[in-house]
Amino acid sequence: MAITSTAKIRPRALVRASGGPRYAVALAVDALGTGLLRPFLLLYGVTVLRLSAPVTGVAMTAGVVVGLVCMPAVGRWLDRGARSTVVAASMLVRVLGVALLLATPAGHAWPFATAALFLGIGNQAWPAAHAALVATVAHGRERDTALAAGRALRNAGLGTGALIATACLAGGTTALQALAAVTGVAYLAAATLAWSVHLRADPAAGPAEAGAADAAPAPAPAPAPAPRMRALLAANVVYVFCLNVPEIALPLVLVTQLHASPVWSAAIFVANTVLVVTLQVPVTVLMSRFSRRSVLAFAGAVLTVSYLGFLAATSLGHGWGAPAVAAVSVVCTLGEIVYAGSATALVTVLAPARALGRTLARFELSTGFGLAVSPAVITGLAPHGPAALWGGLAGATLLSAAAVATEKDQGRQPKASGAGPSGSAASTSGALSASS
C-alpha cells in the first residue's frame, strides 16, 4: 500500500528528531567505545584472563541470554515515562561491566561471566530505550528517518572503534586492557551526555503516533494493552539472522567450504558496514512512500533472494565462488537495511503510548533471542551442505515475510488533531520536559 507523503533528509531537523546534538554525541561516543571492546571480548578472556575458549564463549553467551531477562523491567520503566534516564542507565551498567572486567584476576571465570552479564544487560536494554526516546521526540516518517540515522551513526562508531582496536592489538594484553579502560570511560561519558538531555514522557499521554497508517481502527479511545504482534515477533527472530550472516555464515562458508582467503570475509564485513552507514537513511526515506508493514515484508523477500543467491554462488566452487558470494552479500545488506529501517518503526506505530516501553521490550526480546540462537543454528546447518544452510534460511525467511504481510493489526490509535496525511501528529504525544 502506497502512501502519498515521504520524509526528506534535513540534517538539522534530523538531529533534533534524533534527540538533539548532545544525544547524538552520546550515541557516537557509546558506539565508538563498544567498537573498541565488543569484537575482542572473546580475545580478552582468552589472552588477558587466560581462560579457555569454550569457557569464555559460554560465559559471553550466558551474559547475552541472561541479559534478556531484564527487558520486561526496562519496558515497565519506559512506560512510567522515563526516556533519557533509561538510555543513560543502559550505558552505566556497561561501565560496571568494564570495571569488573578490569578487576577480574587471571584464571577466574565467574567474575568474567558477571562482567559479560552486565555488558549484556546494557547491550540488550539500549535499543528499546533509544527507540522509545526517538519515538517521544519525533513523529510520522520523521521518526523512521531518525531511527535510521541512529543506526547509521552507531554502525559508523562501531566500525571506527573496531578499526582503532585492530590497529592497537599489536600491543598484546596491555593493549587489550587499555582498550577496555577506554571503553569504560567512553560509556561513562556517553551516559553523562544522555542523562543531561533530561527527556521524559507523560505516562498519561495519548497514543504513540496518532492516525498511524499501519494500524487498523479501534472504537475506544482508551489506550489498549500492548499489542500481541505474534507473527511479527516470530518473524523478527528469523529476520535478525541476516545480521549475523556477514560475521558468521559467510566467513564460515568462504573459509571452510570454498577455501577462500580470509581477506574476502574482511572485505565483505567492511562493505556491509560502509553500505549501512551510507544507505540506511536514504533507503529508509525512499521506502517511506509505502506502508511500513509492506516494506518489512519486502525486506524478507530481498533477504530470501540473497540466501538463494548464496546457494547458487557456493555451487560455483573455488575460484568464482568467493567473488560471487561477495556480490550477493550486497543484496543481503540491502535487505538488512530495508528490514532495519522498517521493523522498529512499525513497532513504535503499533504500540499504544502507555504500552510503548513494554512493546519495544518484547520486540527487543525477539531480536536478542534471534541473535543468540543464530550462531548455533548457522554453525549447525553449515556442515550439512549449502542447501541445508541457505535453503533453510531462505524458506524460513520467506514464511516470515508472508506472516508479516498477512498479520492483522489489532487496533488503530484515535487520530489526533493536527495529524498530517502520513499519520504524523503536529504535536508531541505526551508532555515533555527536555533540554538539549
Side-chain angles (χ1 to χ4, degrees):
M1 174 182 173
I3 49 182
T4 56
S5 106
T6 58
K8 295 181 180 180
I9 303 176
R10 297 185 296 271
R12 290 184 179 179
L14 187 56
V15 171
R16 288 195 299 271
S18 301
R22 269 183 292 170
Y23 186 69
V25 173
L27 294 187
V29 173
D30 177 75
L32 183 65
T34 302
L36 288 174
L37 180 62
R38 193 165 75 177
F40 308 104
L41 188 57
L42 178 65
L43 192 60
Y44 188 98
V46 172
T47 61
V48 177
L49 302 181
R50 296 197 293 273
L51 301 173
S52 68
V55 168
T56 306
V58 168
M60 291 174 58
T61 301
V64 172
V65 173
V66 177
L68 292 172
V69 177
C70 76
M71 291 311 300
V74 170
R76 290 191 294 269
W77 192 6
L78 290 169
D79 284 341
R80 289 198 293 268
R83 292 293 184 268
S84 56
T85 304
V86 185
V87 175
S90 73
M91 297 170 177
L92 281 174
V93 73
R94 284 179 285 175
V95 175
L96 183 59
V98 172
L100 187 56
L101 187 67
L102 291 170
T104 300
H108 289 68
W110 282 109
F112 176 77
T114 306
L117 171 61
F118 285 123
L119 291 170
I121 289 173
N123 291 332
Q124 297 296 335
W126 180 85
H130 167 69
L133 187 147
V134 173
T136 304
V137 175
H139 303 278
R141 293 296 176 167
E142 187 180 57
R143 175 191 298 171
D144 301 30
T145 309
L147 289 169
R151 182 170 191 262
L153 178 62
R154 184 162 181 80
N155 274 268
L158 289 171
T160 303
L163 286 175
I164 295 173
T166 302
C168 295
L169 286 181
T173 58
T174 302
L176 282 171
Q177 289 173 314
L179 288 172
V182 172
T183 298
V185 172
Y187 286 154
L188 183 60
T192 303
L193 285 168
W195 177 82
S196 70
V197 173
H198 296 308
L199 177 67
R200 62 175 291 110
D202 181 358
E209 180 177 358
D214 297 275
R228 293 180 180 178
M229 306 185 303
R230 290 175 178 172
L232 177 58
L233 295 176
N236 186 55
V237 172
V238 177
Y239 269 74
V240 297
F241 275 55
C242 73
L243 302 180
N244 275 332
V245 165
E247 297 185 32
I248 297 174
L250 295 186
L252 184 64
V253 168
L254 286 167
V255 174
T256 64
Q257 296 181 5
L258 297 179
H259 308 290
S261 168
V263 173
W264 283 105
S265 301
I268 288 172
F269 181 79
V270 170
N272 174 271
T273 302
V274 171
L275 287 172
V276 170
V277 171
T278 57
L279 296 182
Q280 185 67 71
V281 173
V283 169
T284 301
V285 170
L286 179 65
M287 291 290 150
S288 66
R289 67 191 66 199
F290 305 102
S291 76
R292 298 172 182 89
R293 185 173 289 279
S294 298
V295 173
L296 185 56
F298 174 70
V302 174
L303 290 172
T304 300
V305 169
S306 73
Y307 296 151
L308 294 176
F310 287 132
L311 177 59
T314 53
S315 68
L316 298 176
H318 183 70
W320 288 104
V325 167
V328 176
S329 71
V330 175
V331 180
C332 185
T333 299
L334 290 176
E336 172 193 336
I337 289 170
V338 176
Y339 155 67
S342 56
T344 304
L346 174 60
V347 172
T348 63
V349 168
L350 296 177
R354 295 184 191 177
L356 177 63
R358 282 170 290 152
T359 306
L360 285 170
R362 290 173 60 204
F363 179 73
E364 292 304 330
L365 270 172
S366 72
T367 299
F369 179 76
L371 290 175
V373 302
S374 57
V377 173
I378 289 171
T379 55
L381 289 175
H384 297 285
L389 174 59
W390 301 117
L393 288 178
T397 305
L398 186 61
L399 287 175
S400 299
V404 168
T406 57
E407 185 178 34
K408 299 299 182 182
D409 300 324
Q410 289 182 336
R412 181 174 191 169
Q413 313 289 2
K415 190 167 184 176
S417 59
S422 65
S424 61
S427 61
T428 56
S429 61
L432 304 179
S433 57
S435 59
S436 58

